[in-house]
Amino acid sequence: MQTLLSRKWWVFLIRGLLAIAFGFLALVWPGQTILSLVILFGIYSLIDGFLAVIASIASARFRIGWWAILAEGLVGIVLGVTVLAWPDVTAYAVVVIIGIWALATGLAEFIGAISLRRVISGEFW
């Protein structure tokens, strides 16, 4: 495995450079970054929704539960239209969700760390 990975070192190099470029651009232009991500998500949701609707219609006579795919597609279309109609509200919602996630994760890790103190020795370090 290590030999295989070492032969593809350039893939890691490209991924690293792209990550650095993305991180730099996100830090330099945070407003444009979040807006771009919201718009891309809206477009993705629309396309995915339309494709799900097409797939559900195409498989309706062959598959039980085709209506679930249809419902998923319709929800995706509505979500895409909503995101593209109100990108600022969507961006705000993303920030709130990330904030709630960070608080919940931090609290869970804090509680886990306190619980681990009882199990391990030398817990100060």
Side-chain angles (χ1 to χ4, degrees):
M1 180 70 156
Q2 189 174 10
T3 306
L4 177 64
L5 291 177
S6 65
R7 281 190 251 148
K8 302 295 183 188
W9 64 269
W10 55 272
V11 173
F12 294 101
L13 176 69
I14 291 171
R15 288 180 64 203
L17 291 172
L18 287 173
I20 290 169
F22 177 78
F24 178 76
L25 292 173
L27 290 173
V28 172
W29 296 308
Q32 291 86 344
T33 301
I34 191 72
L35 182 62
S36 298
L37 288 173
V38 166
I39 290 171
L40 284 174
F41 174 72
I43 292 169
Y44 165 78
S45 185
L46 268 175
I47 292 170
D48 184 63
F50 281 119
L51 291 175
V53 167
I54 291 168
S56 70
I57 293 169
S59 67
R61 57 192 154 132
F62 302 113
R63 194 170 163 205
I64 297 173
W66 62 272
W67 55 269
I69 299 172
L70 177 66
E72 175 191 353
L74 293 174
V75 167
I77 292 169
V78 169
L79 180 65
V81 168
T82 303
V83 166
L84 292 173
W86 297 293
D88 52 340
V89 174
T90 304
Y92 178 76
V94 167
V95 170
V96 168
I97 289 168
I98 290 171
I100 291 170
W101 169 82
L103 287 172
T105 301
L107 182 62
E109 291 198 18
F110 182 80
I111 291 169
I114 298 297
S115 299
L116 281 175
R117 284 190 68 214
R118 297 183 193 116
V119 180
I120 59 177
S121 61
E123 71 274 355
F124 180 75
W125 297 109

mmCIF file of all heavy atoms in Angstrom, residues 22 29-47 76-98:
data_model
loop_
_atom_site.group_PDB
_atom_site.id
_atom_site.type_symbol
_atom_site.label_atom_id
_atom_site.label_comp_id
_atom_site.label_asym_id
_atom_site.label_seq_id
_atom_site.Cartn_x
_atom_site.Cartn_y
_atom_site.Cartn_z
ATOM 1 N N PHE A 22 -7.588 27.115 -1.814
ATOM 2 C CA PHE A 22 -8.960 27.295 -1.354
ATOM 3 C C PHE A 22 -8.985 27.991 -0.008
ATOM 4 O O PHE A 22 -9.762 28.925 0.210
ATOM 5 C CB PHE A 22 -9.675 25.940 -1.271
ATOM 6 C CG PHE A 22 -11.066 26.052 -0.744
ATOM 7 C CD1 PHE A 22 -12.093 26.494 -1.566
ATOM 8 C CD2 PHE A 22 -11.368 25.726 0.566
ATOM 9 C CE1 PHE A 22 -13.387 26.612 -1.081
ATOM 10 C CE2 PHE A 22 -12.647 25.834 1.063
ATOM 11 C CZ PHE A 22 -13.657 26.277 0.236
ATOM 12 N N TRP A 29 -11.429 36.323 0.895
ATOM 13 C CA TRP A 29 -12.770 36.735 0.456
ATOM 14 C C TRP A 29 -13.844 35.883 1.133
ATOM 15 O O TRP A 29 -14.546 35.101 0.473
ATOM 16 C CB TRP A 29 -12.903 36.600 -1.049
ATOM 17 C CG TRP A 29 -12.016 37.487 -1.831
ATOM 18 C CD1 TRP A 29 -11.870 38.833 -1.696
ATOM 19 C CD2 TRP A 29 -11.146 37.100 -2.887
ATOM 20 N NE1 TRP A 29 -10.965 39.306 -2.600
ATOM 21 C CE2 TRP A 29 -10.495 38.257 -3.353
ATOM 22 C CE3 TRP A 29 -10.841 35.888 -3.489
ATOM 23 C CZ2 TRP A 29 -9.573 38.237 -4.377
ATOM 24 C CZ3 TRP A 29 -9.925 35.853 -4.505
ATOM 25 C CH2 TRP A 29 -9.304 37.025 -4.938
ATOM 26 N N PRO A 30 -14.049 36.014 2.424
ATOM 27 C CA PRO A 30 -15.026 35.147 3.098
ATOM 28 C C PRO A 30 -16.451 35.339 2.595
ATOM 29 O O PRO A 30 -17.205 34.375 2.468
ATOM 30 C CB PRO A 30 -14.891 35.524 4.572
ATOM 31 C CG PRO A 30 -14.252 36.874 4.583
ATOM 32 C CD PRO A 30 -13.423 36.959 3.335
ATOM 33 N N GLY A 31 -16.836 36.578 2.307
ATOM 34 C CA GLY A 31 -18.197 36.824 1.820
ATOM 35 C C GLY A 31 -18.456 36.171 0.475
ATOM 36 O O GLY A 31 -19.478 35.512 0.269
ATOM 37 N N GLN A 32 -17.518 36.331 -0.443
ATOM 38 C CA GLN A 32 -17.667 35.737 -1.763
ATOM 39 C C GLN A 32 -17.594 34.209 -1.694
ATOM 40 O O GLN A 32 -18.271 33.519 -2.453
ATOM 41 C CB GLN A 32 -16.588 36.251 -2.728
ATOM 42 C CG GLN A 32 -16.750 37.699 -3.098
ATOM 43 C CD GLN A 32 -16.088 38.650 -2.092
ATOM 44 O OE1 GLN A 32 -15.755 38.281 -0.984
ATOM 45 N NE2 GLN A 32 -15.941 39.895 -2.495
ATOM 46 N N THR A 33 -16.786 33.694 -0.756
ATOM 47 C CA THR A 33 -16.651 32.243 -0.623
ATOM 48 C C THR A 33 -17.965 31.629 -0.183
ATOM 49 O O THR A 33 -18.441 30.667 -0.790
ATOM 50 C CB THR A 33 -15.540 31.895 0.389
ATOM 51 O OG1 THR A 33 -14.312 32.454 -0.068
ATOM 52 C CG2 THR A 33 -15.391 30.398 0.547
ATOM 53 N N ILE A 34 -18.569 32.176 0.859
ATOM 54 C CA ILE A 34 -19.823 31.605 1.342
ATOM 55 C C ILE A 34 -20.928 31.777 0.305
ATOM 56 O O ILE A 34 -21.728 30.878 0.087
ATOM 57 C CB ILE A 34 -20.230 32.170 2.725
ATOM 58 C CG1 ILE A 34 -21.387 31.358 3.325
ATOM 59 C CG2 ILE A 34 -20.614 33.615 2.664
ATOM 60 C CD1 ILE A 34 -21.005 30.009 3.798
ATOM 61 N N LEU A 35 -20.947 32.913 -0.365
ATOM 62 C CA LEU A 35 -21.960 33.123 -1.406
ATOM 63 C C LEU A 35 -21.775 32.126 -2.546
ATOM 64 O O LEU A 35 -22.749 31.547 -3.034
ATOM 65 C CB LEU A 35 -21.901 34.560 -1.927
ATOM 66 C CG LEU A 35 -22.926 34.917 -2.985
ATOM 67 C CD1 LEU A 35 -24.343 34.786 -2.428
ATOM 68 C CD2 LEU A 35 -22.699 36.336 -3.498
ATOM 69 N N SER A 36 -20.532 31.900 -2.953
ATOM 70 C CA SER A 36 -20.261 30.931 -4.024
ATOM 71 C C SER A 36 -20.686 29.531 -3.616
ATOM 72 O O SER A 36 -21.294 28.802 -4.408
ATOM 73 C CB SER A 36 -18.777 30.929 -4.376
ATOM 74 O OG SER A 36 -18.383 32.177 -4.862
ATOM 75 N N LEU A 37 -20.382 29.138 -2.384
ATOM 76 C CA LEU A 37 -20.773 27.818 -1.915
ATOM 77 C C LEU A 37 -22.291 27.665 -1.861
ATOM 78 O O LEU A 37 -22.839 26.628 -2.235
ATOM 79 C CB LEU A 37 -20.175 27.547 -0.534
ATOM 80 C CG LEU A 37 -18.670 27.308 -0.508
ATOM 81 C CD1 LEU A 37 -18.170 27.227 0.929
ATOM 82 C CD2 LEU A 37 -18.303 26.049 -1.260
ATOM 83 N N VAL A 38 -22.964 28.716 -1.422
ATOM 84 C CA VAL A 38 -24.428 28.670 -1.357
ATOM 85 C C VAL A 38 -25.017 28.540 -2.754
ATOM 86 O O VAL A 38 -25.909 27.723 -2.995
ATOM 87 C CB VAL A 38 -24.967 29.920 -0.624
ATOM 88 C CG1 VAL A 38 -26.449 30.092 -0.829
ATOM 89 C CG2 VAL A 38 -24.641 29.840 0.860
ATOM 90 N N ILE A 39 -24.514 29.309 -3.703
ATOM 91 C CA ILE A 39 -25.026 29.245 -5.078
ATOM 92 C C ILE A 39 -24.742 27.887 -5.699
ATOM 93 O O ILE A 39 -25.613 27.293 -6.349
ATOM 94 C CB ILE A 39 -24.459 30.400 -5.920
ATOM 95 C CG1 ILE A 39 -25.070 31.721 -5.444
ATOM 96 C CG2 ILE A 39 -24.722 30.186 -7.404
ATOM 97 C CD1 ILE A 39 -24.442 32.955 -6.045
ATOM 98 N N LEU A 40 -23.520 27.359 -5.489
ATOM 99 C CA LEU A 40 -23.206 26.028 -6.015
ATOM 100 C C LEU A 40 -24.108 24.966 -5.410
ATOM 101 O O LEU A 40 -24.573 24.062 -6.103
ATOM 102 C CB LEU A 40 -21.742 25.688 -5.758
ATOM 103 C CG LEU A 40 -20.733 26.369 -6.650
ATOM 104 C CD1 LEU A 40 -19.316 26.066 -6.185
ATOM 105 C CD2 LEU A 40 -20.920 25.941 -8.099
ATOM 106 N N PHE A 41 -24.388 25.085 -4.109
ATOM 107 C CA PHE A 41 -25.291 24.127 -3.474
ATOM 108 C C PHE A 41 -26.691 24.232 -4.062
ATOM 109 O O PHE A 41 -27.349 23.222 -4.305
ATOM 110 C CB PHE A 41 -25.342 24.319 -1.958
ATOM 111 C CG PHE A 41 -26.372 23.447 -1.310
ATOM 112 C CD1 PHE A 41 -26.167 22.090 -1.200
ATOM 113 C CD2 PHE A 41 -27.553 23.987 -0.835
ATOM 114 C CE1 PHE A 41 -27.122 21.271 -0.622
ATOM 115 C CE2 PHE A 41 -28.511 23.188 -0.258
ATOM 116 C CZ PHE A 41 -28.302 21.825 -0.147
ATOM 117 N N GLY A 42 -27.160 25.447 -4.279
ATOM 118 C CA GLY A 42 -28.484 25.638 -4.877
ATOM 119 C C GLY A 42 -28.583 25.008 -6.256
ATOM 120 O O GLY A 42 -29.566 24.325 -6.573
ATOM 121 N N ILE A 43 -27.562 25.224 -7.072
ATOM 122 C CA ILE A 43 -27.545 24.636 -8.420
ATOM 123 C C ILE A 43 -27.486 23.117 -8.331
ATOM 124 O O ILE A 43 -28.213 22.403 -9.039
ATOM 125 C CB ILE A 43 -26.364 25.204 -9.232
ATOM 126 C CG1 ILE A 43 -26.601 26.695 -9.515
ATOM 127 C CG2 ILE A 43 -26.154 24.432 -10.524
ATOM 128 C CD1 ILE A 43 -25.384 27.420 -10.076
ATOM 129 N N TYR A 44 -26.624 22.608 -7.455
ATOM 130 C CA TYR A 44 -26.525 21.164 -7.270
ATOM 131 C C TYR A 44 -27.865 20.573 -6.840
ATOM 132 O O TYR A 44 -28.306 19.553 -7.367
ATOM 133 C CB TYR A 44 -25.452 20.827 -6.233
ATOM 134 C CG TYR A 44 -25.551 19.415 -5.734
ATOM 135 C CD1 TYR A 44 -25.083 18.351 -6.497
ATOM 136 C CD2 TYR A 44 -26.160 19.127 -4.509
ATOM 137 C CE1 TYR A 44 -25.206 17.051 -6.056
ATOM 138 C CE2 TYR A 44 -26.281 17.834 -4.062
ATOM 139 C CZ TYR A 44 -25.799 16.798 -4.839
ATOM 140 O OH TYR A 44 -25.933 15.506 -4.390
ATOM 141 N N SER A 45 -28.517 21.212 -5.883
ATOM 142 C CA SER A 45 -29.789 20.718 -5.378
ATOM 143 C C SER A 45 -30.853 20.686 -6.476
ATOM 144 O O SER A 45 -31.636 19.735 -6.567
ATOM 145 C CB SER A 45 -30.254 21.578 -4.204
ATOM 146 O OG SER A 45 -31.421 21.060 -3.636
ATOM 147 N N LEU A 46 -30.880 21.722 -7.287
ATOM 148 C CA LEU A 46 -31.830 21.752 -8.410
ATOM 149 C C LEU A 46 -31.572 20.612 -9.395
ATOM 150 O O LEU A 46 -32.504 19.885 -9.772
ATOM 151 C CB LEU A 46 -31.719 23.082 -9.155
ATOM 152 C CG LEU A 46 -32.630 24.211 -8.726
ATOM 153 C CD1 LEU A 46 -32.293 25.480 -9.507
ATOM 154 C CD2 LEU A 46 -34.079 23.842 -8.914
ATOM 155 N N ILE A 47 -30.341 20.467 -9.827
ATOM 156 C CA ILE A 47 -29.998 19.421 -10.803
ATOM 157 C C ILE A 47 -30.276 18.047 -10.216
ATOM 158 O O ILE A 47 -30.877 17.185 -10.871
ATOM 159 C CB ILE A 47 -28.532 19.563 -11.251
ATOM 160 C CG1 ILE A 47 -28.354 20.846 -12.070
ATOM 161 C CG2 ILE A 47 -28.084 18.347 -12.060
ATOM 162 C CD1 ILE A 47 -26.910 21.209 -12.366
ATOM 163 N N GLY A 76 -35.714 18.404 -3.291
ATOM 164 C CA GLY A 76 -34.470 18.969 -3.793
ATOM 165 C C GLY A 76 -34.700 20.172 -4.689
ATOM 166 O O GLY A 76 -33.970 21.173 -4.604
ATOM 167 N N ILE A 77 -35.706 20.103 -5.529
ATOM 168 C CA ILE A 77 -36.029 21.226 -6.415
ATOM 169 C C ILE A 77 -36.481 22.429 -5.595
ATOM 170 O O ILE A 77 -36.022 23.555 -5.815
ATOM 171 C CB ILE A 77 -37.102 20.821 -7.449
ATOM 172 C CG1 ILE A 77 -36.511 19.797 -8.428
ATOM 173 C CG2 ILE A 77 -37.641 22.033 -8.184
ATOM 174 C CD1 ILE A 77 -37.538 19.132 -9.321
ATOM 175 N N VAL A 78 -37.373 22.199 -4.640
ATOM 176 C CA VAL A 78 -37.850 23.295 -3.791
ATOM 177 C C VAL A 78 -36.689 23.899 -3.001
ATOM 178 O O VAL A 78 -36.558 25.128 -2.897
ATOM 179 C CB VAL A 78 -38.975 22.809 -2.842
ATOM 180 C CG1 VAL A 78 -39.295 23.841 -1.785
ATOM 181 C CG2 VAL A 78 -40.211 22.451 -3.646
ATOM 182 N N LEU A 79 -35.822 23.043 -2.462
ATOM 183 C CA LEU A 79 -34.661 23.529 -1.723
ATOM 184 C C LEU A 79 -33.740 24.351 -2.623
ATOM 185 O O LEU A 79 -33.291 25.433 -2.239
ATOM 186 C CB LEU A 79 -33.893 22.358 -1.120
ATOM 187 C CG LEU A 79 -32.655 22.716 -0.315
ATOM 188 C CD1 LEU A 79 -33.031 23.509 0.928
ATOM 189 C CD2 LEU A 79 -31.902 21.464 0.064
ATOM 190 N N GLY A 80 -33.477 23.865 -3.832
ATOM 191 C CA GLY A 80 -32.619 24.598 -4.757
ATOM 192 C C GLY A 80 -33.171 25.959 -5.113
ATOM 193 O O GLY A 80 -32.444 26.961 -5.133
ATOM 194 N N VAL A 81 -34.460 26.014 -5.394
ATOM 195 C CA VAL A 81 -35.095 27.295 -5.725
ATOM 196 C C VAL A 81 -35.031 28.234 -4.527
ATOM 197 O O VAL A 81 -34.720 29.423 -4.667
ATOM 198 C CB VAL A 81 -36.559 27.071 -6.181
ATOM 199 C CG1 VAL A 81 -37.318 28.375 -6.257
ATOM 200 C CG2 VAL A 81 -36.584 26.360 -7.531
ATOM 201 N N THR A 82 -35.294 27.697 -3.336
ATOM 202 C CA THR A 82 -35.256 28.519 -2.125
ATOM 203 C C THR A 82 -33.852 29.067 -1.873
ATOM 204 O O THR A 82 -33.683 30.252 -1.576
ATOM 205 C CB THR A 82 -35.722 27.694 -0.902
ATOM 206 O OG1 THR A 82 -37.027 27.184 -1.171
ATOM 207 C CG2 THR A 82 -35.742 28.528 0.358
ATOM 208 N N VAL A 83 -32.862 28.228 -1.997
ATOM 209 C CA VAL A 83 -31.474 28.647 -1.782
ATOM 210 C C VAL A 83 -31.078 29.732 -2.776
ATOM 211 O O VAL A 83 -30.454 30.729 -2.408
ATOM 212 C CB VAL A 83 -30.520 27.434 -1.872
ATOM 213 C CG1 VAL A 83 -29.075 27.861 -2.006
ATOM 214 C CG2 VAL A 83 -30.693 26.527 -0.660
ATOM 215 N N LEU A 84 -31.436 29.544 -4.030
ATOM 216 C CA LEU A 84 -31.065 30.524 -5.049
ATOM 217 C C LEU A 84 -31.881 31.812 -4.928
ATOM 218 O O LEU A 84 -31.390 32.892 -5.273
ATOM 219 C CB LEU A 84 -31.214 29.921 -6.445
ATOM 220 C CG LEU A 84 -30.214 28.800 -6.756
ATOM 221 C CD1 LEU A 84 -30.537 28.152 -8.088
ATOM 222 C CD2 LEU A 84 -28.787 29.305 -6.725
ATOM 223 N N ALA A 85 -33.092 31.719 -4.407
ATOM 224 C CA ALA A 85 -33.911 32.918 -4.236
ATOM 225 C C ALA A 85 -33.447 33.755 -3.051
ATOM 226 O O ALA A 85 -33.522 34.985 -3.088
ATOM 227 C CB ALA A 85 -35.381 32.528 -4.056
ATOM 228 N N TRP A 86 -32.974 33.104 -1.985
ATOM 229 C CA TRP A 86 -32.538 33.805 -0.779
ATOM 230 C C TRP A 86 -31.158 33.327 -0.342
ATOM 231 O O TRP A 86 -31.013 32.712 0.723
ATOM 232 C CB TRP A 86 -33.538 33.601 0.359
ATOM 233 C CG TRP A 86 -34.877 34.173 0.062
ATOM 234 C CD1 TRP A 86 -35.183 35.495 -0.080
ATOM 235 C CD2 TRP A 86 -36.091 33.463 -0.124
ATOM 236 N NE1 TRP A 86 -36.517 35.639 -0.349
ATOM 237 C CE2 TRP A 86 -37.105 34.402 -0.384
ATOM 238 C CE3 TRP A 86 -36.429 32.104 -0.104
ATOM 239 C CZ2 TRP A 86 -38.415 34.023 -0.616
ATOM 240 C CZ3 TRP A 86 -37.731 31.737 -0.345
ATOM 241 C CH2 TRP A 86 -38.709 32.694 -0.591
ATOM 242 N N PRO A 87 -30.118 33.624 -1.112
ATOM 243 C CA PRO A 87 -28.783 33.131 -0.734
ATOM 244 C C PRO A 87 -28.271 33.721 0.576
ATOM 245 O O PRO A 87 -27.536 33.052 1.306
ATOM 246 C CB PRO A 87 -27.897 33.529 -1.918
ATOM 247 C CG PRO A 87 -28.625 34.635 -2.597
ATOM 248 C CD PRO A 87 -30.087 34.391 -2.353
ATOM 249 N N ASP A 88 -28.652 34.944 0.886
ATOM 250 C CA ASP A 88 -28.175 35.548 2.135
ATOM 251 C C ASP A 88 -28.748 34.837 3.353
ATOM 252 O O ASP A 88 -28.051 34.601 4.339
ATOM 253 C CB ASP A 88 -28.487 37.046 2.162
ATOM 254 C CG ASP A 88 -29.947 37.355 1.865
ATOM 255 O OD1 ASP A 88 -30.634 36.504 1.272
ATOM 256 O OD2 ASP A 88 -30.404 38.462 2.218
ATOM 257 N N VAL A 89 -30.024 34.479 3.291
ATOM 258 C CA VAL A 89 -30.648 33.747 4.386
ATOM 259 C C VAL A 89 -30.011 32.363 4.516
ATOM 260 O O VAL A 89 -29.737 31.889 5.628
ATOM 261 C CB VAL A 89 -32.178 33.628 4.176
ATOM 262 C CG1 VAL A 89 -32.817 32.749 5.233
ATOM 263 C CG2 VAL A 89 -32.813 35.011 4.152
ATOM 264 N N THR A 90 -29.756 31.728 3.381
ATOM 265 C CA THR A 90 -29.118 30.408 3.390
ATOM 266 C C THR A 90 -27.723 30.490 3.988
ATOM 267 O O THR A 90 -27.329 29.636 4.789
ATOM 268 C CB THR A 90 -29.047 29.839 1.963
ATOM 269 O OG1 THR A 90 -30.362 29.810 1.410
ATOM 270 C CG2 THR A 90 -28.461 28.444 1.960
ATOM 271 N N ALA A 91 -26.958 31.517 3.625
ATOM 272 C CA ALA A 91 -25.609 31.683 4.166
ATOM 273 C C ALA A 91 -25.675 31.863 5.681
ATOM 274 O O ALA A 91 -24.873 31.283 6.425
ATOM 275 C CB ALA A 91 -24.917 32.870 3.512
ATOM 276 N N TYR A 92 -26.622 32.647 6.141
ATOM 277 C CA TYR A 92 -26.793 32.855 7.582
ATOM 278 C C TYR A 92 -27.137 31.527 8.264
ATOM 279 O O TYR A 92 -26.591 31.204 9.325
ATOM 280 C CB TYR A 92 -27.883 33.895 7.846
ATOM 281 C CG TYR A 92 -28.137 34.130 9.303
ATOM 282 C CD1 TYR A 92 -27.242 34.883 10.067
ATOM 283 C CD2 TYR A 92 -29.242 33.591 9.929
ATOM 284 C CE1 TYR A 92 -27.461 35.083 11.415
ATOM 285 C CE2 TYR A 92 -29.473 33.784 11.277
ATOM 286 C CZ TYR A 92 -28.573 34.541 12.015
ATOM 287 O OH TYR A 92 -28.794 34.729 13.348
ATOM 288 N N ALA A 93 -28.018 30.750 7.635
ATOM 289 C CA ALA A 93 -28.414 29.464 8.208
ATOM 290 C C ALA A 93 -27.211 28.519 8.286
ATOM 291 O O ALA A 93 -27.051 27.798 9.281
ATOM 292 C CB ALA A 93 -29.530 28.834 7.382
ATOM 293 N N VAL A 94 -26.363 28.536 7.272
ATOM 294 C CA VAL A 94 -25.169 27.689 7.284
ATOM 295 C C VAL A 94 -24.269 28.074 8.450
ATOM 296 O O VAL A 94 -23.758 27.211 9.175
ATOM 297 C CB VAL A 94 -24.411 27.793 5.936
ATOM 298 C CG1 VAL A 94 -23.023 27.192 6.032
ATOM 299 C CG2 VAL A 94 -25.207 27.136 4.830
ATOM 300 N N VAL A 95 -24.072 29.359 8.663
ATOM 301 C CA VAL A 95 -23.236 29.818 9.772
ATOM 302 C C VAL A 95 -23.838 29.399 11.109
ATOM 303 O O VAL A 95 -23.128 28.935 12.007
ATOM 304 C CB VAL A 95 -23.035 31.352 9.700
ATOM 305 C CG1 VAL A 95 -22.387 31.878 10.958
ATOM 306 C CG2 VAL A 95 -22.219 31.721 8.480
ATOM 307 N N VAL A 96 -25.146 29.523 11.256
ATOM 308 C CA VAL A 96 -25.808 29.122 12.503
ATOM 309 C C VAL A 96 -25.664 27.620 12.720
ATOM 310 O O VAL A 96 -25.350 27.167 13.836
ATOM 311 C CB VAL A 96 -27.298 29.547 12.490
ATOM 312 C CG1 VAL A 96 -28.065 28.900 13.633
ATOM 313 C CG2 VAL A 96 -27.407 31.059 12.538
ATOM 314 N N ILE A 97 -25.855 26.834 11.681
ATOM 315 C CA ILE A 97 -25.727 25.375 11.796
ATOM 316 C C ILE A 97 -24.305 24.999 12.184
ATOM 317 O O ILE A 97 -24.085 24.148 13.055
ATOM 318 C CB ILE A 97 -26.161 24.684 10.486
ATOM 319 C CG1 ILE A 97 -27.682 24.807 10.330
ATOM 320 C CG2 ILE A 97 -25.719 23.223 10.457
ATOM 321 C CD1 ILE A 97 -28.192 24.423 8.966
ATOM 322 N N ILE A 98 -23.308 25.628 11.569
ATOM 323 C CA ILE A 98 -21.916 25.340 11.909
ATOM 324 C C ILE A 98 -21.640 25.740 13.362
ATOM 325 O O ILE A 98 -20.960 25.017 14.090
ATOM 326 C CB ILE A 98 -20.950 26.041 10.933
ATOM 327 C CG1 ILE A 98 -21.036 25.388 9.560
ATOM 328 C CG2 ILE A 98 -19.516 26.020 11.461
ATOM 329 C CD1 ILE A 98 -20.294 26.131 8.475
#
